[in-house]
Amino acid sequence: MTDCCTSCTPGGGEPAIACTLGAGDYRERLAAIRDLAARALHGSRRDGLRLELDYDLPARAEVEALVAQERACCPFLDFDLHAEAGAVRLTITAPERAREAADELFAHFAPGRP
């Protein structure tokens, strides 16, 4: 797929519930997300359409870069990032219309975690 544009926002409305990365780029992104999680993720909590991830503070620049990349390819997700208590907290919120896909969407960010 190409970058998000009017073709993925039917009628110019809300962005489609779809990643705009091509297959190869998507696989690379997933590998990078999982690598970051393996090295720096020390906690995760899920509440329905909201996933909170706590990363080690030294990973802040990597988490910020990840958020910038994800905002570009998955504009239907909301990303809130801030430092707190010696950690970087990333909260990802999916819209209600993505409820059926939420498990799959969030699984990449916190592999093997509840």
Side-chain angles (χ1 to χ4, degrees), residues 3 7 18 21 24 38 43 46 51 58 63 70 72 78 88 93 95-96:
D3 289 334
S7 65
L21 294 175
R46 167 104 184 263
L51 176 66
V63 177
E70 288 297 298
D78 179 60
V88 176
T93 306
E96 180 60 40

Side-chain angles (χ1 to χ4, degrees), residues 69-84:
Q69 293 170 335
E70 288 297 298
R71 281 182 174 146
C73 69
C74 296
F76 60 92
L77 294 174
D78 179 60
F79 296 90
D80 179 42
L81 179 66
H82 60 276
E84 116 182 350

Side-chain angles (χ1 to χ4, degrees), residues 44-108:
S44 66
R45 288 159 304 290
R46 167 104 184 263
D47 182 19
L49 295 172
R50 194 172 95 186
L51 176 66
E52 290 182 355
L53 303 163
D54 293 326
Y55 293 92
D56 297 326
L57 194 55
R60 183 177 186 157
E62 281 185 88
V63 177
E64 289 172 346
L66 168 67
V67 168
Q69 293 170 335
E70 288 297 298
R71 281 182 174 146
C73 69
C74 296
F76 60 92
L77 294 174
D78 179 60
F79 296 90
D80 179 42
L81 179 66
H82 60 276
E84 116 182 350
V88 176
R89 173 157 300 158
L90 172 59
T91 303
I92 305 170
T93 306
E96 180 60 40
R97 60 196 176 84
R99 184 168 294 279
E100 289 183 29
D103 288 345
E104 183 179 346
L105 291 168
F106 292 154
H108 306 298

